[in-house]
Amino acid sequence: MEKKNRVGIMGGTFNPIHVGHVITGECAYEQFALDKVLFMPSKTPPHKSTLGIASTTDRTNMVRLAIEENPHFTLSTIELEREGITYTVDTLLELHRTHSNCEYFFIIGADSLLGFARWRNPGEILKLATILVVSRYGLSDNRLLEQINKLKAVYGGHFEIVKMPTIDISSSEIRERHKKGLSIRYYVDHKVRQYMDEHSLYLEE
Ligand code: ATP
Ligand code: MG
C-alpha cells in the first residue's frame, strides 16, 4: 500500500500569528515526522467576539509572511473559501475527499483541548485526524492526559502530546501590548510587525 502523506493542520484565528504558533507547528512537524503543516486561518469564529478581529485578508497576509521561509509550512485558505459557518469536521471531510493519500494530524493548544467536547461532532473529527496537543498556560502533561482520557472514554480516537517548552504568549496579549504602545518585537515575525504597522492594526477596539 502506498505510504500516506502525513499532514499537520494548525488552525486558528491568527489574530495575529505569533511565535507560539510557528514553534508549535515546527515541533509537531519534527516529532511526528510530518511531511508538511498547513496553517489554516479560520473565518471569524462564531464563539469569538468580532471586536478587535482584523480582516480575513489581513490575518491571512500575516500568516503568509510568517511562514514563507519555511519550506514545509503551507497556507491553506480552505476554510475561508467555504460558505457559511465552517466546522473542523467539514474541513477534514473535504480534505479527505480531495486528498485521499493523506493522513491528518490536527494540532491544538491545551485551551482548545479543554473545549473540544463542544466542537461539532467530536467523534467524527477523531475518525478523520489524530489530535496533537500542545501544553499552554502551564497545564501539566498529567492534566492534559486526564482530559485526553476523558475524551477517549467518550469518543475514542488518537491523541498525542507534543513535547515542547510552554510558550505562554497569545494573540490577545500581543494585541493588548500593541495597543498600549508596548514592544511586540520577537513576539511576532518582524514582517508581521511591519505589516501591523503599515495597516494600523490593533490600535483600538
Ligand atoms: P487569542 O488570544 O486571540 O485566542 P491565540 O494566541 O490563542 O489567540 P489562536 O489563533 O486562537 O491564537 O490559536 C490557534 C491555535 O493555536 C489554538 O489551538 C491554540 O490553542 C494554539 N496556540 C496559540 N498560541 C499558542 C501557544 N503559545 N502555545 C501553544 N499553542 C498555542
Ligand atoms: Mg485562542
Side-chain angles (χ1 to χ4, degrees), residues 10 18-30 37 39 73 107-109 132-135 162 164-165 167:
M10 188 77 204
H18 56 67
V19 292
H21 296 127
V22 286
I23 294 178
T24 296
E26 188 70 357
C27 288
Y29 169 82
E30 191 175 67
V37 178
F39 279 73
F73 282 179
I107 307 161
I108 59 175
L132 303 184
V133 185
V134 184
S135 182
V162 183
M164 57 177 273
I167 302 172

Side-chain angles (χ1 to χ4, degrees), residues 106-124:
F106 202 86
I107 307 161
I108 59 175
D111 53 319
S112 306
L113 181 76
L114 296 178
F116 187 78
R118 291 188 299 275
W119 291 19
R120 172 158 294 202
N121 215 336
E124 183 71 10

Side-chain angles (χ1 to χ4, degrees), residues 4-144:
K4 293 206 167 190
N5 269 337
R6 295 164 69 84
V7 179
I9 301 175
M10 188 77 204
T13 329
F14 302 124
N15 185 41
I17 185 165
H18 56 67
V19 292
H21 296 127
V22 286
I23 294 178
T24 296
E26 188 70 357
C27 288
Y29 169 82
E30 191 175 67
Q31 279 168 47
F32 295 92
L34 304 180
D35 294 297
K36 63 175 169 177
V37 178
L38 305 179
F39 279 73
M40 193 178 277
S42 52
K43 288 192 198 168
T44 306
H47 59 276
K48 281 205 181 181
S49 144
T50 49
L51 276 180
I53 288 227
S55 71
T56 299
T57 308
D58 285 336
R59 291 185 292 112
T60 306
N61 285 342
M62 291 188 284
V63 170
R64 196 180 281 115
L65 289 171
I67 68 173
E68 67 186 359
E69 272 149 38
N70 188 326
H72 47 258
F73 282 179
T74 311
L75 170 69
S76 168
T77 54
I78 174 173
E79 293 210 334
L80 306 175
E81 285 148 20
R82 190 155 2 108
E83 289 298 317
I85 299 174
T86 41
Y87 294 104
T88 300
V89 65
D90 297 330
T91 303
L92 288 169
L93 283 169
E94 184 176 341
L95 285 171
H96 277 283
R97 209 163 42 234
T98 50
H99 301 80
S100 55
N101 62 331
C102 293
E103 183 180 353
Y104 290 97
F105 296 80
F106 202 86
I107 307 161
I108 59 175
D111 53 319
S112 306
L113 181 76
L114 296 178
F116 187 78
R118 291 188 299 275
W119 291 19
R120 172 158 294 202
N121 215 336
E124 183 71 10
I125 293 176
L126 292 169
K127 290 196 185 100
L128 301 168
T130 295
I131 307 297
L132 303 184
V133 185
V134 184
S135 182
R136 239 190 142 179
Y137 306 123
L139 281 173
S140 66
D141 280 5
N142 276 347
R143 183 72 189 80
L144 292 182

Side-chain angles (χ1 to χ4, degrees), residues 144-159:
L144 292 182
L145 280 173
E146 201 180 289
Q147 180 64 15
I148 286 172
N149 288 335
K150 267 193 209 159
L151 288 168
K152 272 185 159 172
V154 182
Y155 304 108
H158 300 280
F159 295 81

